[in-house]
Amino acid sequence: RGVRGGTILRVEEAERLDNLLSKQCPSLPFSFIQRLVRNKKVRMLGPEGDWVRLVNPGKKLRGGATLHVQSKTFEESRSEPPVAETSRLLLTHRERRDLVNSVLLEHPDVIIVNKPSGLAVQGGSLMGRHLDRMLHALVGEGEKEPLLVHRLDRQTSGCLAVARDKDAAGRLAAAFRGEAGMVHKTYLAVVHPAPKADFGCIDHAMEKVLGTEGQADRVRLVA
């Protein structure tokens, strides 16, 4: 069957899906590439001529496979010149110092940063100043920049894990999804006025709303 719009890619040699897509669009955040796959925007041509949707960013592809990526952002990014340096945010000495001092843990695979409230993790159409453009300050000159694997809301402070390379990013992202090990998250909140009960439970179903291109996924309560 034919396809309308989007981008057709030919897999030259065996490679992970997210790594292949990231190489095609180096200016896009690795987390965006992985979300693109999880949101079912990438398909592979099957042996019977049907397009099969891919949902695992870490899927190992065989050479000779044909992919279709339905994303205007991805398509436009492929036609842009490399922007390795322009994506970096120029930091003052104080900003660089504060970011380095916010590091809680350094590991060969991951860096844990104490993200302050008010700092966005990723940008949007009107958000040019965000943590993703500052991560270069956490490594030395010539070293690979850390990669985001999850997000915190702009007004939420707390521990944020960034991967040192793409392989670590894939493993960490799988852990956050519960596919390889488990990441336990704990959130603390200040509530005003104080609830009347000392403890309780909000018992409602939750629904995940997938974000469109450039937007984050949301979770909402279902009455």
Side-chain angles (χ1 to χ4, degrees):
R1 298 176 185 175
V3 293
R4 293 184 178 180
T7 304
I8 298 294
L9 298 175
R10 179 78 171 178
V11 181
E12 299 297 335
E13 56 184 17
E15 190 170 8
R16 275 179 55 125
L17 174 58
D18 50 9
N19 287 346
L20 172 68
L21 298 179
S22 182
K23 289 179 181 178
Q24 294 290 322
C25 299
S27 64
L28 294 178
F30 194 64
S31 55
F32 174 88
I33 294 294
Q34 293 190 316
R35 190 166 69 250
L36 199 66
V37 180
R38 292 197 295 271
N39 287 358
K40 302 178 181 180
K41 299 296 184 181
V42 181
R43 298 185 294 175
M44 181 172 65
L45 188 62
E48 302 299 325
D50 293 331
W51 291 98
V52 180
R53 295 189 183 278
L54 305 178
V55 296
N56 179 14
K59 179 179 177 59
K60 296 294 181 64
L61 301 175
R62 294 182 178 180
T66 301
L67 303 178
H68 173 248
V69 183
Q70 188 64 52
S71 168
K72 185 176 181 180
T73 300
F74 185 89
E75 184 177 359
E76 292 176 348
S77 179
R78 288 189 76 219
S79 64
E80 295 174 352
V83 290
E85 294 301 323
T86 57
S87 63
R88 293 182 174 186
L89 190 65
L90 184 61
L91 302 177
T92 65
H93 175 73
R94 180 176 180 177
E95 289 174 328
R96 183 180 294 269
R97 181 197 63 195
D98 289 346
L99 181 60
V100 171
N101 288 341
S102 72
V103 173
L104 301 175
L105 173 70
E106 289 192 78
H107 181 272
D109 290 333
V110 65
I111 300 174
I112 306 297
V113 177
N114 183 19
K115 188 194 83 68
S117 173
L119 176 63
V121 173
Q122 283 184 298
S125 58
L126 299 177
M127 182 66 63
R129 193 173 192 80
H130 52 84
L131 183 61
D132 196 24
R133 296 183 63 196
M134 302 178 183
L135 294 178
H136 61 90
L138 296 178
V139 295
E141 189 67 30
E143 296 184 41
K144 293 183 179 179
E145 295 183 18
L147 301 167
L148 294 174
V149 293
H150 70 112
R151 299 180 299 275
L152 291 176
D153 290 341
R154 182 180 179 183
Q155 300 305 328
T156 300
S157 62
C159 298
L160 185 81
V162 294
R164 287 190 179 271
D165 55 43
K166 291 182 179 180
D167 287 339
R171 295 194 302 271
L172 286 168
F176 273 97
R177 295 193 303 271
E179 299 174 2
M182 180 62 70
V183 173
H184 297 280
K185 299 180 182 180
T186 300
Y187 291 89
L188 300 176
V190 177
V191 180
H192 179 78
K196 295 180 180 179
D198 292 333
F199 62 91
C201 177
I202 300 176
D203 187 8
H204 286 282
M206 301 185 74
E207 178 184 45
K208 184 173 184 179
V209 181
L210 297 179
T212 56
E213 292 186 25
Q215 296 181 338
D217 300 341
R218 296 183 293 109
V219 175
R220 66 184 179 187
L221 295 178
V222 180

